Amino acid sequence: YVHGAKVIPYVTVSEMIELSARGGFGVVQDRSLKAAREEGYISKIAIRSAEHLDVRGTLIVGTRNHLQQPLAGIGVREDVTYFTISDPTMANASGYLHDALGVFKEMGVNFLHDRAGEGQITLYVANDSYVGRLLPHDLAQGLAKRLKLNGNAIDVGYHESIIQVVGEGLQNNPRLQHQIQGHLLDSG
């Protein structure tokens, strides 16, 4: 719950699925939305708070005007583990990210998000996709082995959170997306 949050008037099915997956909406299951979209059941779905029936709520629609409102919402996913891989040779290695993600796939771990920089990739995974089956150390070792790195090249962070801005209008405007994320980080 975010005190003072404004109602999002319209979101597309794709945006709602992404917000749901990123923790932006706890009331809607992303798998249910995907199934409804695939079966053609989505025309307009209204989501409202049971505590505030006087508020219009959010309409899930097929399309919306992305130019007027490029940002649909902000999702926060808590309790994630990150793996930061530092390797100056990754830019010259074709399929590097594919190889890294293959480790997660083989171990049955849900990949959430990645962030890349010069010679560095950070991969975020949901803790609930491996806790009780694997240790983060197992995943880090799998990455190091697959990517032919020593253990010092992979930094692991536990019980972290990620903030993700969501909006189909941001896909064609990565600069705006980075500005929004930067403001969120700067505001603490």
Side-chain angles (χ1 to χ4, degrees), residues 45-61:
I45 296 175
I47 298 176
R48 296 182 359 180
S49 169
E51 296 175 10
H52 304 285
L53 293 175
D54 57 319
V55 177
R56 181 173 177 255
T58 300
L59 278 178
I60 304 174
V61 296

Side-chain angles (χ1 to χ4, degrees), residues 56-77:
R56 181 173 177 255
T58 300
L59 278 178
I60 304 174
V61 296
T63 61
R64 66 177 183 84
N65 185 339
H66 300 112
L67 297 176
Q68 289 181 344
Q69 182 188 359
L71 175 68
I74 299 170
V76 177
R77 179 71 186 252

Side-chain angles (χ1 to χ4, degrees), residues 82-90 96 100 104 115 117-123 136-137 139-157:
Y82 72 79
F83 299 85
T84 299
I85 304 165
S86 300
D87 182 359
T89 68
M90 72 174 57
Y96 196 94
F104 294 141
R115 187 182 74 226
E118 187 68 33
Q120 194 174 70
I121 299 173
T122 301
L123 305 172
H137 177 74
L139 294 166
Q141 279 186 327
L143 287 167
K145 183 177 179 183
R146 174 73 57 87
L147 301 172
K148 299 176 178 74
L149 299 170
N150 67 43
N152 296 333
I154 301 174
D155 180 41
V156 181

